[in-house]
Amino acid sequence: MVFIVSDSVGETAEAVVKAVASQFEGRTVEIRKFPYIEDEETIKDVVLAAKESRAIIALTLVVPKLRDFLYKLAKERGVTVIDIMSPMIAAMEQLVGKRSLNQPGLVRQLDEEYFKKVEAIEFAVKYDDGRDPRGLLRADVVLVGVSRTSKTPLSMYLANRRYKVANVPLVPEVDPPEELYQIPKKKVIGLTISPDQLNMIRRERLKALGLTSQANYASLERIMQELEFAEKVMKKVGCPTINVTNKAVEEIASLILDLTGGKEQTEAQ
């Protein structure tokens, strides 16, 4: 029997024990987990139970005080202890020249941050370009603006920082979804741009698609019509606006977070 003792979930030790047990064909190893160990009294109980069950202890305690206490007690009781993480931690400290945080549960925190990012990215893809107005009610940020004002790149950039972003294109021929007027104003950001730069961007876009740059999509007349319509919608919503002319995505994203009251969520180190 193997007792797994951890100040977190114990998944690391369990994976190692199962991998080792698989090397002994025809033998099964019973595993008992003791997660979230935070005090010496619990350690006393575990060590006593291990002695009575003739079990070995596989531990992933990163708090030195608890780890040392368990070692001392196990030695006194004649219980075998296998420390799974400490040798690697010591080697890593020498490699990076920095002390370990000795803080339990960090792997799980990283996992949670990763899944939040994935969820935000999936959200941005699902509710890109006004595909489903229902997403506006669930979004942290809603971006509105005419075509080619960086709505999609901004949605993905903010999603990588775990913000759920939806965006809505503003086109004179299509009424904005009613949901746009139902969400708090501070969640909505209007994106504006100079007509000349939008004209240049759209002409380049048409070239990339193999189409003539003289199409109505890139004409200044059409652009002015769209920008005037977008301005009216933004005023009706009552949302703040950002002029994205000659601005990088990173700069615009920072302004968006300032206006919505969000905070930059940097990657876990």
Side-chain angles (χ1 to χ4, degrees):
M1 181 180 292
V2 177
F3 283 12
I4 291 175
V5 179
S6 176
D7 39 25
S8 185
V9 182
E11 291 176 341
T12 301
E14 183 177 17
V16 172
V17 171
K18 286 182 176 179
V20 172
S22 69
Q23 299 298 313
F24 296 88
E25 189 176 359
R27 298 296 300 272
T28 58
V29 176
E30 184 179 349
I31 297 175
R32 288 184 60 187
K33 290 174 64 176
F34 299 86
Y36 304 113
I37 300 296
E38 298 178 345
D39 61 89
E40 294 181 353
E41 286 302 315
T42 304
I43 289 176
K44 288 180 182 178
D45 294 338
V46 172
V47 172
L48 181 59
K51 180 175 178 59
E52 293 175 350
S53 302
R54 299 176 62 186
I56 64 173
I57 294 177
L59 68 87
T60 53
L61 293 174
V62 297
V63 179
K65 181 181 177 182
L66 294 179
R67 187 172 62 234
D68 293 345
F69 180 79
L70 188 148
Y71 262 121
K72 180 176 180 294
L73 201 59
K75 184 177 180 180
E76 293 174 354
R77 300 290 191 272
V79 176
T80 300
V81 177
I82 307 299
D83 190 338
I84 292 173
M85 291 185 65
S86 292
M88 190 63 192
I89 289 175
M92 192 69 74
E93 286 178 339
Q94 287 189 337
L95 179 65
V96 302
K98 186 178 180 180
R99 296 285 295 174
S100 163
L101 294 174
N102 293 323
Q103 182 178 337
L106 292 181
V107 171
R108 177 160 290 271
Q109 289 178 25
L110 290 174
D111 287 345
E112 288 174 356
E113 293 304 313
Y114 170 77
F115 287 117
K116 284 179 183 177
K117 180 194 290 189
V118 170
E119 183 181 4
I121 291 173
E122 290 176 344
F123 187 94
V125 171
K126 183 175 182 179
Y127 299 111
D128 182 46
D129 208 30
R131 290 176 185 168
D132 186 348
R134 293 173 297 180
L136 305 186
L137 303 175
R138 297 173 47 215
D140 298 319
V141 180
V142 176
L143 305 178
V144 297
V146 300
S147 174
R148 314 314 294 178
T149 49
S150 299
K151 296 186 300 299
T152 296
L154 284 165
S155 295
M156 297 307 298
Y157 183 91
L158 291 169
N160 272 279
R161 277 141 188 81
R162 299 175 292 283
Y163 288 96
K164 293 180 179 178
V165 185
N167 70 76
V168 178
L170 298 180
V171 184
E173 292 78 16
V174 181
D175 291 332
E178 286 300 317
E179 288 85 352
L180 184 60
Y181 304 105
Q182 298 171 6
I183 55 181
K185 298 177 183 178
K186 68 177 183 178
K187 284 189 174 185
V188 185
I189 298 293
L191 303 176
T192 65
I193 190 171
S194 75
D196 290 339
Q197 185 172 19
L198 185 55
N199 173 255
M200 180 183 68
I201 292 172
R202 288 189 175 184
R203 289 174 65 183
E204 291 299 319
R205 175 62 174 167
L206 289 173
K207 284 182 183 179
L209 295 173
L211 303 174
T212 173
S213 61
Q214 302 305 313
N216 186 47
Y217 174 72
S219 72
L220 276 173
E221 182 180 355
R222 172 63 183 181
I223 286 172
M224 292 303 300
Q225 181 187 5
E226 289 187 29
L227 290 175
E228 288 174 7
F229 173 77
E231 184 179 0
K232 289 179 182 178
V233 172
M234 294 172 195
K235 284 184 178 179
K236 183 177 178 180
V237 173
C239 64
T241 62
I242 297 174
N243 191 321
V244 302
T245 306
N246 296 322
K247 287 185 175 67
V249 167
E250 295 84 356
E251 181 182 359
I252 303 168
S254 179
L255 293 172
I256 289 171
L257 294 181
D258 287 342
L259 289 171
T260 57
K263 293 182 180 180
E264 187 70 20
Q265 299 187 46
T266 56
E267 293 295 325
Q269 300 296 313

